[in-house]
């Protein structure tokens, strides 16, 4: 994009919402393609999965930025690329003004401490062969910080996340799903990070257990001033935890706004469809709702539609636009800019709608 | 006599295992009126699927099943396999979370629908069956059904396959549809499409529905009555309004208090601490007692039976259900999060890394 300063303004929180000050993390024009190889003996590159296409956002101190979108929209790819677990095809990731994508391994290492991740699957992400104490202690060892007193530090971490420190000698499989997720959080906190990426941290849990984890995360953030990049597909969870929400569709950001505004007055037809599709646990309200429904399935990210990627399912495109208006949707990629509603929206015909 | 299409009484299922007997379902009963929709909710492992499989006669042979399941007055437990599959074909359709459980990978979807139609209407000609299959695909919301009718299941997305399964269920013209987490694996916009298809199927066949799901929002919008399961038992049942607006069992109240809401702002959620009991070693008394903030000595004595709790047909299995009248989850459950003392010490102990200290 040609005017980075302007973009930064549009992608930062509005006054009075969420974090303040300089962004901790700045992501600009992030692109990630995965090669698609042919089958057969000689494997050739036959195309690309356009997993993430020109995504830009800021994350501020003490802020939770939610990243929502349906399966395959690129949420995990963004999380992994931001943390350097995956190399970007192009674009920049700046942490406190330092360009992460250009750092050498050695120079990256101390920064690694400050950016941590918690994964979705508490079953798969913890080493089954070592005790819980060791799982939490491991990052300290790797970073040469396991000094005298570290044993107490680990016990304190377990206590902090609501686990009994006496159980440190047990193995991950002896804990319930919710407890395992707490172990993952204790491990992520061990190095006292400033930014934590949470990739679907509660999606695998029953709601009664999920609520405890959400409370824990919110306490940690407010007390420690952490910044969260919070990935989820559950919009109700998002509404509860996020200061701002960024909505992904097929590799692109389609709308970003303070949480309250995004749910009260979504402006992108895809955001509207998402909000509209979430069932409310309130029988009278749920029966009385009018719905904006979309047709069909998400197209393949190998050959995404030209222009606006949502056009093949967009109810506005199908039902409201004239033939000549549709031309813009087909030909021009809609930029993520403020279109009068106060927040960036990537739709040529954005229009706020009240749905709840 | 009764209007019920399906009556389940005292249903008990046990699985003998190396570690002992798993008491998966412990005396579940419900009646389903013609055309009615019953939602079954509850934590993972509470016995929702095993109950459904027992009704359908689809449990493994090792399972010990007792009680009674009557469909249109006919007892199904103990029926011969042949007779059972007859009832299943005509009377009760089952929709699983994974649509491939019900689809045949080697035949086009239209063929599978047509086959079902021909089985029920021997007079129908092949061409008529195919035309009707196209109709049904359109009815469940599949785009360009004339083209899709010849597609194989693997050529379709998960949401489309699930709608094909619903189309096949419609071809059976069932009196009861049992759907076990039919949309759990799907994205929300696709979930909405599948739920629409299910509503259409009910409207066209007049079938009653048993909808098993962990999503309380789905239950709120698509059922008339709700049964809440915990540790193999029904612990509360009533109209969908009873359950959502005036729950009378602490577990139900806790479940609702745990839910983040899209339609309002809540300061804090109230989780239920702990986890459900092992079905191998159930403690005596109320199975929810170890997690219940209202627990007292009486709760460890006899397991509370389902008893009337307020409105017509509203039942709750709690000795102290009347204490919940007029209370919200926030007054009963604690909004537990981080250990605040440990958190204060952690915040104090060493400041969070500053970039300066790490400058290279
Ligand atoms: N290593 C890889 N090789 C090839 N394609 C990949 C790879 N990782 C991800 N993709 C593809 O990139 C796209 C984005 O995937 P990603 O996992 O980021 O989505 P997501 O939004 O996290 O989805 P989900 O909600 O299912 O977790 C998908 O089409 C996926 O198939
Ligand atoms: N074949 C089996 N052998 C032994 N135990 C079984 C068997 N099938 C189910 N169970 C046990 O029965 C209990 C109830 O299982 P069920 O599948 O009905 O739970 P559910 O309520 O459907 O949970 P979920 O929400 O996870 O689908 C569980 O503890 C499960 O482990
Ligand atoms: S740009 Fe066109 S197709 Fe895309 S969301 Fe807006 S109206 Fe729909
Ligand atoms: S019987 Fe006792 S332990 Fe069980 S739910 Fe009621 S108050 Fe709680
Ligand atoms: Mg993901
Ligand atoms: Mg189940």
């Amino acid at each position: 994009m040609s005017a980075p300063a302007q973009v930064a303004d549009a992608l930062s929180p509005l006054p009075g919402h969420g974090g303040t000050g300089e962004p901790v993390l700045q992501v600009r024009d992030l692109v990630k393609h995965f090669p698609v190889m042919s089958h057969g003996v000689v494997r050739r590159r036959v195309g690309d999965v356009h997993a993430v296409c020109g995504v830009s956002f800021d994350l501020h101190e003490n802020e939770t930025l939610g990243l929502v979108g349906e399966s395959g929209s690129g949420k995990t790819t963004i999380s992994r690329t931001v943390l350097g677990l995956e190399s970007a095809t192009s674009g920049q990731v700046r942490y406190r003004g330092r360009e992460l994508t250009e750092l050498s391994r050695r120079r990256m290492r101390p920064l690694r401490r400050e950016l941590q991740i918690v994964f979705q699957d508490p079953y798969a992400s913890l080493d089954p062969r070592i005790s819980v104490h060791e799982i939490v202690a491991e990052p300290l060892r790797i970073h040469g910080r396991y000094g005298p007193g570290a044993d107490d530090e680990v016990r304190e971490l377990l206590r902090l996340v609501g686990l009994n420190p006496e159980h440190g000698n047990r193995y991950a499989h002896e804990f319930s799903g919710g407890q395992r997720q707490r172990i993952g959080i204790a491990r992520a906190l061990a190095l006292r990070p400033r930014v934590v990426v949470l990739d679907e941290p509660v999606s695998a849990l029953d709601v009664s257990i999920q609520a405890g984890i959400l409370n824990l995360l919110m306490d940690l953030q407010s007390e420690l001033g952490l910044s969260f990049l919070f990935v989820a597909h559950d919009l109700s969870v998002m509404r509860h935890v996020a200061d701002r929400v960024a909505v992904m569709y097929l590799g692109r950001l389609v709308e970003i706004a303070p949480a309250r505004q995004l749910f009260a007055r979504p402006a992108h037809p895809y955001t509207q469809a998402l909000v509209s599709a979430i069932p409310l646990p309130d029988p009278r309200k749920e029966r009385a709702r009018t719905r904006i429904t979309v047709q069909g399935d998400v197209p393949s990210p190998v050959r995404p539609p030209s222009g606006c990627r949502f056009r093949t399912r967009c109810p506005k495109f199908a039902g409201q636009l004239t033939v000549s208006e549709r031309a813009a949707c087909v030909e021009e990629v809609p930029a993520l800019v403020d279109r009068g509603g106060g927040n960036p929206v990537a739709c040529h015909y954005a229009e706020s709608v009240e749905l709840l | 006599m009764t209007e019920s299409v399906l009556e389940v009484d005292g249903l008990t299922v046990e699985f003998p295992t190396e570690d002992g007997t798993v008491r998966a379902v412990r005396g579940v009963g419900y009646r389903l009126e013609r055309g009615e929709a019953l939602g079954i909710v509850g934590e993972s492992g509470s016995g929702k699927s095993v109950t459904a499989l027992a009704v359908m006669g689809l449990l493994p042979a090792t399972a010990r099943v007792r009680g009674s399941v009557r469909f249109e007055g006919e007892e199904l437990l103990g029926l011969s396999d042949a007779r059972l599959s007859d009832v299943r074909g005509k009377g009760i359709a089952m929709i699983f979370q994974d649509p491939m459980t019900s689809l045949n990978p080697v035949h086009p979807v239209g063929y599978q629908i047509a086959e079902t139609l021909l089985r029920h209407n021997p007079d129908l000609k092949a061409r008529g069956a195919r035309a009707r299959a196209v109709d049904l695909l359109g009815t469940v919301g599949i785009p360009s059904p004339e083209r899709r009718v010849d597609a194989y299941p693997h050529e379709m997305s998960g949401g489309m396959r699930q709608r094909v399964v619903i189309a096949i269920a419609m071809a059976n013209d069932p009196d009861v549809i049992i759907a076990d987490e039919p949309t759990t694996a799907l994205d929300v916009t696709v979930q909405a499409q599948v739920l629409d298809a299910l509503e259409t199927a009910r409207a066209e066949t007049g079938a009653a529905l048993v909808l098993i799901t962990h999503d309380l929002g789905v239950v709120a919008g698509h059922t008339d009555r709700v049964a809440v399961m915990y540790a193999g038992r029904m612990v509360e049942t009533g109209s969908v309004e009873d359950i959502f607006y005036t729950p009378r069992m602490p577990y139900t109240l806790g479940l609702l208090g745990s839910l983040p809401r899209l339609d309002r702002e809540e300061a804090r959620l109230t989780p239920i601490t702990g986890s459900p009991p092992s079905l191998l070693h159930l403690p005596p008394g109320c199975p929810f007692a170890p997690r219940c903030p209202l627990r007292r000595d009486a709760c460890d004595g006899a397991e509370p039976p389902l008893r009337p709790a307020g409105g017509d047909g509203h039942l709750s299995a709690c000795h102290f259900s009347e204490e919940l009248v007029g209370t919200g989850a926030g007054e009963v459950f604690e909004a537990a999060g981080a250990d605040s003392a440990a958190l204060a010490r952690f915040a104090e102990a060493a400041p969070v890394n500053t970039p300066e200290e790490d400058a290279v």
Side-chain angles (χ1 to χ4, degrees):
Chain A
M1 264 172 232
S2 50
Q6 209 180 324
V7 172
D9 282 350
L11 301 176
S12 289
L14 303 177
H17 291 283
T20 47
E22 277 299 289
V24 183
L25 199 66
Q26 286 177 293
V27 174
R28 288 293 173 275
D29 298 324
L30 190 68
V31 174
K32 178 67 189 178
H33 291 175
F34 293 103
V36 181
M37 307 307 268
S38 64
H39 298 288
V41 189
V42 184
R43 288 165 60 84
R44 289 176 302 114
R45 184 178 184 133
V46 292
D48 282 307
V49 178
H50 297 239
V52 177
C53 303
V55 164
S56 304
F57 60 82
D58 284 349
L59 176 65
H60 289 254
E61 194 152 321
N62 201 15
E63 183 192 29
T64 298
L65 176 66
L67 205 52
V68 293
E70 288 174 289
S71 186
S73 58
K75 306 180 296 295
T76 295
T77 306
I78 290 180
S79 321
R80 294 178 53 84
T81 317
V82 161
L83 291 175
L85 299 173
E86 198 93 67
S87 64
T89 303
S90 67
Q92 289 97 46
V93 178
R94 245 171 275 134
Y95 171 68
R96 299 199 158 254
R98 269 187 282 184
E99 180 51 57
L100 295 186
T101 39
E102 286 163 6
L103 288 185
S104 66
R105 278 185 100 84
R106 197 174 62 80
R107 288 174 154 247
M108 180 71 192
R109 195 164 174 192
L111 290 182
R112 207 13 67 69
R113 289 208 296 268
E114 299 178 27
L115 299 151
Q116 292 290 326
I117 186 163
V118 174
F119 296 99
Q120 164 173 3
D121 187 352
Y123 301 91
S125 61
L126 303 175
D127 190 335
R129 296 159 306 180
I130 59 178
S131 72
V132 160
H133 185 98
E134 276 308 304
I135 288 174
V136 177
E138 200 172 53
L140 294 168
R141 290 195 200 282
I142 291 172
H143 286 265
R145 295 204 158 186
Y146 202 87
D151 270 351
D152 282 341
E153 225 176 295
V154 171
R155 295 166 61 84
E156 191 71 357
L157 279 163
L158 291 174
R159 200 174 287 124
L160 173 65
V161 298
L163 294 170
N164 184 345
E166 305 304 316
H167 295 167
N169 55 352
R170 298 189 180 174
Y171 292 84
H173 71 87
E174 296 175 64
F175 292 85
S176 68
Q179 289 172 321
R180 282 184 246 209
Q181 202 52 294
R182 289 171 193 269
I183 297 167
I185 293 167
R187 178 184 159 97
L189 288 178
L191 294 167
R192 298 179 170 271
R194 304 179 75 98
V195 174
V196 182
V197 175
L198 300 141
D199 190 356
E200 307 266 10
V202 296
S203 306
L205 306 172
D206 273 318
V207 284
S208 66
I209 309 291
Q210 166 184 306
I213 303 290
L214 294 176
N215 285 352
L216 169 64
L217 290 170
M218 292 173 86
D219 287 350
L220 292 172
Q221 174 172 57
S222 62
E223 205 56 32
L224 304 175
L226 299 170
S227 303
F228 286 160
L229 180 60
F230 197 114
V231 173
H233 62 264
D234 184 331
L235 263 72
S236 309
V237 167
M238 245 350 150
R239 155 119 210 207
H240 186 69
V241 300
D243 298 304
R244 285 186 304 139
V245 179
V247 183
M248 300 277 304
Y249 186 78
L250 208 56
R252 287 195 199 282
L253 271 185
V254 298
E255 182 163 9
I256 182 164
R260 197 175 297 177
Q261 180 180 346
L262 189 96
F263 295 113
R265 279 171 282 118
H268 194 285
Y270 177 62
T271 316
Q272 291 161 3
L274 266 186
V275 170
S276 198
I278 309 294
L280 300 177
D282 182 324
R284 288 184 200 123
K285 273 194 197 168
E286 183 61 10
R287 286 192 215 111
R289 268 170 104 191
T290 45
R291 284 227 145 79
I292 296 177
T293 51
V294 301
Q295 295 286 308
D297 295 293
V298 183
S300 158
V302 178
R303 255 172 266 77
S306 67
C308 174
R309 291 190 174 181
F310 187 52
R311 69 177 162 83
T312 56
R313 301 172 77 203
C314 178
K316 187 164 213 159
F317 180 91
Q320 292 170 33
L321 300 185
T322 63
V323 174
S324 59
E325 283 170 330
R326 286 179 188 168
C329 306
V330 176
E331 288 156 20
E332 264 176 68
V333 176
L336 184 66
V337 292
D338 188 340
R339 291 168 191 269
N343 70 293
V345 193
C347 166
H348 297 304
Y349 305 103
E351 204 178 354
S352 301
V353 173
E354 279 184 35
L355 286 171
L356 290 172
Chain B
M1 265 286 293
T2 163
E3 267 291 294
S4 309
V5 263
L6 188 66
E7 287 174 81
V8 177
D9 260 315
L11 186 69
T12 301
V13 181
E14 294 177 349
F15 297 102
T17 68
E18 281 178 15
D19 303 322
T21 302
V22 175
R23 301 171 63 199
V25 176
R26 305 180 299 121
V28 163
Y30 61 81
R31 278 156 181 264
L32 194 61
E33 311 299 321
R34 206 162 279 287
E36 182 188 38
L38 171 72
I40 300 187
V41 299
E43 216 135 335
S44 185
S46 57
K48 305 181 297 294
S49 296
V50 170
T51 300
L53 293 172
V55 167
M56 295 293 287
L58 292 174
L59 285 171
T62 54
R64 288 199 296 262
V65 185
R66 279 176 288 129
S68 159
V69 176
R70 279 187 305 279
F71 172 70
E72 314 250 83
E74 182 181 8
E75 178 61 53
L76 299 188
L77 289 191
L79 274 194
S80 72
D81 282 353
R83 180 73 193 114
L84 243 189
S85 73
D86 207 41
V87 173
R88 277 201 300 262
K90 284 216 286 288
I92 314 180
M94 177 110 191
I95 299 171
F96 296 93
Q97 178 176 336
D98 178 2
M100 288 314 286
T101 312
S102 326
L103 296 176
N104 188 332
V106 305
H107 292 303
V109 296
Y111 174 94
Q112 300 186 48
I113 300 171
E115 198 188 28
T116 309
L117 287 165
L118 290 167
R119 205 165 48 234
H120 290 283
N121 316 280
D123 299 341
L124 201 67
K125 297 284 186 302
R127 184 179 302 163
R130 183 185 157 89
R132 179 84 184 109
V134 173
D135 276 356
L136 281 172
L137 286 174
T139 308
V140 295
I142 290 190
S144 4
E146 324 69 34
R147 200 161 50 77
R148 292 288 181 181
V149 72
D150 295 317
Y152 289 86
H154 73 260
E155 296 172 310
M156 297 185 142
S157 67
M160 265 198 249
R161 284 181 203 152
Q162 198 62 296
R163 280 177 281 172
V164 170
V165 172
I166 293 171
I168 293 175
M170 288 177 79
N172 272 316
D173 194 16
D175 296 301
V176 176
I177 298 174
I178 300 182
D180 188 357
E181 309 271 6
T183 58
T184 301
L186 304 172
D187 279 321
V188 280
T189 57
V190 177
Q191 163 170 290
Q193 297 166 353
V194 171
L195 290 172
D196 277 351
L198 198 55
E199 287 293 342
T200 307
R202 285 186 61 212
E204 299 222 342
T205 62
L209 173 70
V210 177
L211 181 61
I212 299 168
T213 170
H214 65 274
D215 189 328
L216 288 162
V218 171
V219 167
H222 295 273
T223 65
D224 308 306
R225 280 193 305 132
V226 180
V228 182
M229 288 193 68
Y230 191 79
R233 296 248 291 171
M234 271 167 48
V235 294
E236 181 160 10
T237 171
S239 71
V240 68
E241 285 86 2
D242 288 339
I243 300 296
F244 281 86
Y245 302 131
T246 56
R248 290 285 181 269
M249 162 72 195
Y251 174 65
T252 313
L253 188 69
L255 214 51
L256 292 167
S258 303
L259 274 186
R261 296 278 296 255
L262 198 63
D263 54 334
R264 62 164 188 238
E265 224 142 306
E266 58 285 289
R268 202 137 160 104
L269 306 171
T270 50
I272 306 174
T273 50
S275 29
S278 156
L279 301 175
L280 281 167
H281 312 284
L282 274 171
C286 173
F288 188 58
R291 305 172 76 187
C292 181
L294 296 182
R295 185 210 149 265
R296 61 206 78 169
D297 289 348
C299 304
D300 297 337
E303 183 162 357
L306 270 179
R307 285 185 302 127
D312 203 19
H314 187 179
L315 307 175
S316 149
C318 169
H319 294 308
F320 304 103
S321 61
E322 66 285 355
E323 290 181 18
L324 296 188
V325 175
T327 30
E331 296 156 65
V332 173
F333 288 85
E334 264 183 62
D339 179 315
S340 49
L343 182 52
R345 284 196 298 274
F346 187 80
E348 222 30 24
V352 167
N353 285 319
T354 60
E356 287 70 34
E357 143 195 358
D358 294 314
V360 192

